[in-house]
Every structure is written in structure tokens, then in C-alpha cells.
Amino acid sequence: MERKSKCVSTKDMEKQKEFIQLVTDKHDGEMKKYYLNTFGCQMNEHDSEKLAGMLSNMGYIESDDVNDSSLIIFNTCCVREHAEQKVYGHLGALKKLKEENPELVIAICGCMMQQENVVSHINKTYRHVDLIFGTHNLYKFPELLFKSFNNNKTLIDVWDTDGKIVENVPVERKDGVKAWTTIMYGCNNFCSYCIVPYVRGRERSREIKEIEKEVMTLGRQEFKEITLLGQNVNSYGKDLPHKSSFAQLLHQLDKISGIERIRFLTSHPKDLSDELIYAMRDLNKVCEHLHLPFQAGSTKVLKEMNRGYTKEEYLELVMKVKENIPDISLTTDIIVGFPGETDDDFEDTLDIIKKVRFDSAYTFLYSKRTGTPAAKYENQVLDKVKKERFERLLNLQNSISKEINEPFLGKKLEVLVEGKSKTNNDIYTGRTRGNKIVNFEASDKDICKIKNVLIDNIRTWSLDGKIV
Ligand code: SAH
Ligand code: SF4
Ligand code: F3S
């Protein structure tokens, strides 16, 4: 097994171009199909767009049929146990395919692969896997793929620590209206339940110039909306030699023509500055939506989670945001059943939900992650209790989400038209600046345009209306 730390230079990128050529030559003009399954967050989705970009340069086209592909890739997530179990389930099912077609290449990458115990388990149990690589050497995919051809052992290349940021990896974006841009990698926060800092490394910010260049290109390519990605975008720039802030970055990006909306994920309450709140208030393109995970309501639990704020501080922060940006749409992440969470602690979680009134919330059952401090805490909450609390939380949040949507009835909202609805082909879908999903009748020529939609029906998670 190859485990090492490395720095990446432009020379390494040049080398990858040579491997792109070698893979292309090997296929001798024949178009190959690949099947790519992505688990986890938008960071992983965006990494998959980079894999797709490299694959398209190597003469591959995407297929949605696992049985009809010469390359199968799983880009994995390990934030909760359930995400890992899903990957193992899929991997087991591929054994037969590989037996029938020994030429098939099966590759796994992403966060799960950054854990040594996972890699050795896959290496022992799923011998039909050809290639394993991690999050820090994604750019090396063409070389690894080439080396895995005609190799009868599993090729493993996972780097322990993060290297430099690699720019100019080709990207093939799935969407033509909205684009993701990663502005920083890694996380320094080490919340006690979370595996991300161990699998994504320390915080590394991209240079403002590089981000600007990418967003300008996106503007020229007629993307209308960008979402800036990072595990904690509020600490963007702190590691750069000439230190810049996330708010400064927003000011720069707001000037770029073509782009009409700017969003970002994720904000950490302990780092959300006044400067950022004012930038959100003042910059036209920055949308009135803030995803601000609070994770738990009880100050005692927050301390054990190592979140760096109290219940009162979180509530004050939200108040400040609402005062400055009255039509802000707020969303959050919540963990239920963190070790030691009592009924009273959980009441504090419900209390925050009632006081803040989030537009929507992503709620998770606490999942024990080996290697994190919380996994060793003794007072784990019983599954039954976790599930009961989860249900109560969900019911409360759903009723609030619906209530928040009610005043939109009869209102005209600006909607960026994204395309046809996935569930009903006659209906088109888009989002408001506050990130509300709106469904309406439209035609293909409306895609990528901002339209006024009159809302005539309210649902818990979406609105219906007519273009006016
Ligand atoms: N960096 C972001 C997102 C991290 S992962 C942030 O800090 O908000 C997305 C969400 O997964 C987290 O916000 C948290 O709510 C949830 N999560 C992380 N680890 C978890 C665990 N061990 N069990 C349950 N949920 C978890
Ligand atoms: Fe995980 Fe906390 Fe970092 Fe978010 S801020 S990625 S929850 S350690
Ligand atoms: Fe999962 Fe990795 Fe994202 S663990 S949530 S895919 S950073």
C-alpha cells in the first residue's frame, strides 16, 4: 500500500496530461463508457465533476447503466455509517460483473478511502476492486487509471496529508445554469463527532485570483448562479500569505459580469463575522440565504461537540443576521442523540428551532465515527430514544417550514429557471433568491432566465406558481 504526503506542482499536472494521452491512445479511437456514483456532500459532487472532466478528455462518455460500462467509479462519503454501508452494498454486487467481464475496471475514491481500516477491509474482502485512491490525489486519476489497466492486483494510492491545491483540473459540470466552485479545502475545527477533518485534511484556501478567473469563465459560459464551497467558508483566506477574508472575496466576485446570483456553503457560527453579514446585506448578487448549522441546542452538548459557541450566542447571532437582512432565509444542520444528550438537552434543540424558525433543516441521527473523540464517549444514546427525538424534531420543523411558506401565497417572486422538474416533465422548476423551490409551467426557452412567478399554491418544501 502506498501512503505518503506530497506537494503537487504544475509539473505534476503536466504529467497527468501525458497520462490522459496514454489512456486515449490505448482506446485507439473507441468511445468507452463510464458509470460514476457519487455519495456525500456538494464537495464530493464537485470532485466528481472533475473526474468527469478528466474522463471526457480521455475519450469516455457517461452511462447510467452499470452493466454497460467499462469503468465503474464510486466517489464515497464517510460522514455517517449509513453512507459507508451503502457503498459496501454496491461493491458486493459488482463481483459478478467483474467475473463476467475481467476487462471491467472498478475504482473507488473519496473520503471513505482516507481511512486505513476501510482500505484494508476493501482490499481483503472485495478483491474485484482494481483501483483505490483518496481525496488528496484526485488530480492523479489519469495516471492511476492507466496503471490499473492489466494490473491483476488492486492499485492503492492514498495520501496521508494534504498537498498544495491543484488548479486547472478539467471540470465537466452537470448543470448548465448553476455551478459549484470550491474556494477552500479541508477543515480545522475538529467537532468531536465529525470525521471530515481526518479525511479532508487542514484548511487550504485557493488564491482569490484563481477563484476570480474561474468565476469569470463561468460567467462567459453563461452560468447564472455560483455556489462557493468549503467546510467552513467563513474562515476563507486566513491561511493565505496576504490574508484575505471571505467578505472580501464576495466583494470581488460580486463584480463579475454574467453571474447573477452568488451562494455559499457552509458557514460556521463561531466564524460568522459582522463584515460578512454586511457583505450579504450590501452585495446585490449575494442571495438572502444562509445555511448556519447549529447542531445542538444545549450549551453543554455544544461544548462537548467542540463547536465554540453557546445556545445564547447562536441565538444572538441569528438575531443580528435577521436585523441586517430582514428577508433572510435560514437553514441549518442538526444532530440528534449526541452522546450524553438528555431529554432537557434535546428540549434546548427544539427551543432553538422554535425561536429561530428555520426555513428548513437537515436533521441527522448521531452516528459513531471511529477515530473521532465522541466515539469513545461512554454515554451513547439508545437508538430508540434517538429515533423518538428525531420524529418530534421533524414534525416541529415541517410545520414551521409550511407556516413560513404561507405568506408567499399571492406574492410575485424572482425565480431562476433551472429546467424540467424531475418528477413531472410538463412542469419546470427553479429557485428563489431565498433558495425556495418553485414549480410552474414554462418552456425550454425560459431555462437559465430569471422570471417573475406569481405563487398560487404552498407546500412544505416547495411553492407552485405561474410566470407573469
Ligand atoms: N462543514 C459543514 C458540514 C459538515 S458534514 C459544517 O460544519 O456544517 C454535514 C453535516 O453532517 C454536519 O453539519 C452534521 O450535522 C452532520 N454530521 C457530521 N458528522 C456526523 C455524525 N458523526 N453523525 C451524524 N451527523 C453528522
Ligand atoms: Fe465537521 Fe465541524 Fe468541520 Fe463541519 S466544521 S466539517 S462539522 S469538523
Ligand atoms: Fe462526506 Fe466527505 Fe463530504 S465525508 S460529507 S463527502 S467531505
Side-chain angles (χ1 to χ4, degrees), residues 269-287:
K270 78 174 168 51
D271 297 313
L272 187 85
S273 65
D274 289 354
E275 190 198 12
L276 175 59
I277 297 175
Y278 303 149
M280 289 186 77
R281 179 194 63 193
D282 299 337
L283 296 172
N284 283 338
K285 293 180 183 175
V286 177
C287 291

Side-chain angles (χ1 to χ4, degrees), residues 93-142:
L94 293 182
K95 189 164 183 232
K96 202 161 152 275
L97 268 185
K98 179 77 179 180
E99 279 164 4
E100 285 163 7
N101 173 16
E103 298 277 285
L104 173 69
V105 176
I106 300 174
I108 334 178
C109 61
C111 295
M112 239 175 116
M113 301 307 118
Q114 290 295 139
Q115 306 170 95
E116 227 161 324
N117 59 328
V118 168
V119 173
S120 53
H121 175 63
I122 292 178
N123 202 22
K124 273 196 220 109
T125 320
Y126 302 92
R127 303 201 65 87
H128 50 288
V129 170
D130 299 281
L131 170 61
I132 294 177
F133 58 104
T135 57
H136 302 308
N137 58 345
L138 185 93
Y139 80 97
K140 244 182 106 181
F141 174 55

Side-chain angles (χ1 to χ4, degrees), residues 196-235:
V196 172
Y198 305 89
V199 297
R200 286 276 176 176
R202 295 297 66 73
E203 285 175 1
R204 282 108 56 213
S205 303
R206 288 176 69 195
E207 291 286 346
I208 281 203
K209 285 267 160 305
E210 293 292 342
I211 302 169
E212 273 179 305
K213 212 163 75 185
E214 183 177 349
V215 176
M216 277 189 234
T217 310
L218 292 169
R220 280 196 296 273
Q221 290 170 340
E222 298 186 359
F223 283 93
K224 289 286 174 294
E225 179 178 308
I226 52 160
T227 302
L228 309 173
L229 298 179
Q231 294 299 346
N232 176 12
V233 289
N234 304 148
S235 61

